[in-house]
């Protein structure tokens, strides 16, 4: 496919607690022509969520049917639920020259990279382990055990940083939005993963 006449595809992943959703919502508001693809999921709808807006909530058997029908560009089991991106939706948005953002996990990011080589992937990292922990704690009334498990999951997710094209450190929110905007506008070479200062930061995040 001639990719000059279609919108670009960005895959954005992050460990939970890195602040990805707030950053991406700001991007969507500020950058014209960017849209999210709405994922399918088998998980329960949360109170503040809307079907068809936040996700398309489907049953386990509907999801399995969609896998069988080849509907998904990518899908993965994340925690105890399935999540997937509809291939047709992404293709149709790109044909409308919209830049599509997939807010998915590293497993899905890997599948998209293989299927759509011109996609660009961004991994968002917290600035420190302490910041990650306090963001995970800040969510509410979860027990220490739950927080510990989330932290371990987030650290495991961060182990995949090297598979992504760009790394954004979400230290200051406005700066994070600015960095993402640069990448999305095609001026983000300074955020490529192979910059020298990244290795030390990653080591600290991964080893605590
Ligand atoms: P949550 O249930 O908190 O909304 O999302 C849990 C995780 O699932 C997040 O890491 C999110 O990025 C990931 N996720 C959401 N949609 C998709 C999707 O379509 N595909 C994949 N692979 N992961 C997804």
């Amino acid at each position: 496919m001639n990719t000059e006449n279609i919108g670009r595809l960005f895959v954005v992943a992050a460990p939970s607690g890195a602040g990805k959703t707030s950053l991406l919502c700001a991007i969507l508001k500020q950058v014209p022509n960017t849209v999210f693809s709405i994922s399918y999921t088998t998980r329960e709808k949360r109170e503040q969520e809307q079907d068809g807006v936040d996700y398309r909530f489907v049953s386990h058997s509907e999801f399995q049917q969609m896998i069988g029908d080849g509907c998904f560009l990518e899908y993965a089991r994340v925690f105890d639920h399935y999540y997937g991106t509809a291939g047709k939706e992404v293709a149709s948005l790109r044909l409308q020259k919209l830049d599509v953002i997939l807010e998915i996990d590293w497993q899905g990011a890997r599948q998209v990279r293989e299927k759509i080589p011109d996609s660009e992937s961004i991994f968002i990292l917290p600035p420190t382990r302490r910041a990650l922990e306090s963001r995970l704690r800040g969510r509410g009334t979860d027990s220490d055990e739950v927080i510990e498990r989330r932290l371990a999951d987030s650290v495991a997710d961060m182990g995949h940083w090297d598979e992504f094209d760009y790394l954004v450190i979400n230290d200051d929110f406005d700066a994070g939005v600015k960095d993402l905007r640069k990448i999305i506008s095609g001026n983000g070479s300074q955020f490529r993963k192979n910059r020298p200062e990244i290795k030390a930061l990653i080591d600290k995040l991964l080893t605590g």
Side-chain angles (χ1 to χ4, degrees):
M1 200 193 307
N2 178 0
T3 53
E4 272 175 25
N5 293 322
I6 61 172
R8 295 160 72 202
L9 180 60
F10 294 95
V11 175
V12 185
S16 99
K20 170 179 69 166
T21 306
S22 324
L23 284 174
L24 289 179
C25 287
I27 290 293
L28 229 62
K29 278 194 194 133
Q30 293 181 22
V31 185
N33 276 341
T34 51
V35 286
F36 282 142
S37 157
I38 301 166
S39 296
Y40 287 79
T41 183
T42 60
R43 90 147 155 70
E44 294 274 301
K45 188 167 85 60
R46 294 179 188 137
E47 210 174 67
Q48 73 285 5
E49 289 178 329
Q50 264 181 281
D51 189 16
V53 175
D54 299 285
Y55 283 104
R56 299 185 206 284
F57 296 93
V58 293
S59 67
H60 196 82
S61 62
E62 285 169 311
F63 198 96
Q64 292 303 322
Q65 179 75 46
M66 289 184 74
I67 297 175
D69 292 344
C71 293
F72 291 120
L73 166 61
E74 64 75 34
Y75 70 92
R77 190 181 166 136
V78 186
F79 305 116
D80 291 329
H81 306 288
Y82 284 92
Y83 296 84
T85 304
K88 262 194 189 161
E89 174 165 338
V90 172
S92 140
L93 292 168
R94 292 185 80 194
L95 282 172
Q96 295 167 55
K97 299 198 178 181
L98 294 166
D99 290 335
V100 181
I101 298 179
L102 305 183
E103 187 190 346
I104 63 179
D105 85 320
W106 64 267
Q107 306 172 82
R110 194 181 267 182
Q111 296 167 45
V112 175
R113 205 170 291 123
E114 277 164 17
K115 286 195 186 154
I116 308 189
D118 73 307
S119 64
E120 293 166 81
S121 61
I122 305 169
F123 199 58
I124 299 175
L125 288 167
T128 60
R129 185 90 160 231
R130 186 184 285 242
L132 176 69
E133 210 173 318
S134 88
R135 282 176 198 162
L136 290 174
R137 269 186 205 290
R139 283 190 171 181
T141 52
D142 296 315
S143 66
D144 278 356
E145 197 188 330
V146 169
I147 307 276
E148 282 303 316
R149 208 184 56 217
R150 283 214 194 111
L151 186 61
D153 286 339
S154 287
V155 172
D157 286 352
M158 288 192 295
H160 296 277
W161 68 275
D162 197 23
E163 300 175 23
F164 290 77
D165 300 316
Y166 299 97
L167 297 178
V168 167
I169 317 297
N170 184 17
D171 192 353
D172 171 76
F173 181 79
D174 292 334
V177 172
K178 210 166 143 195
D179 296 352
L180 278 173
R181 287 188 66 153
K182 275 197 181 162
I183 296 170
I184 288 172
S185 64
N187 299 306
S189 57
Q190 74 200 89
F191 303 108
R192 289 219 164 251
K193 68 168 169 218
N194 51 1
R195 53 196 202 266
E197 71 275 16
I198 278 294
K199 191 73 183 78
L201 175 89
I202 299 275
D203 283 349
K204 277 202 185 142
L205 283 172
L206 294 181
T207 56

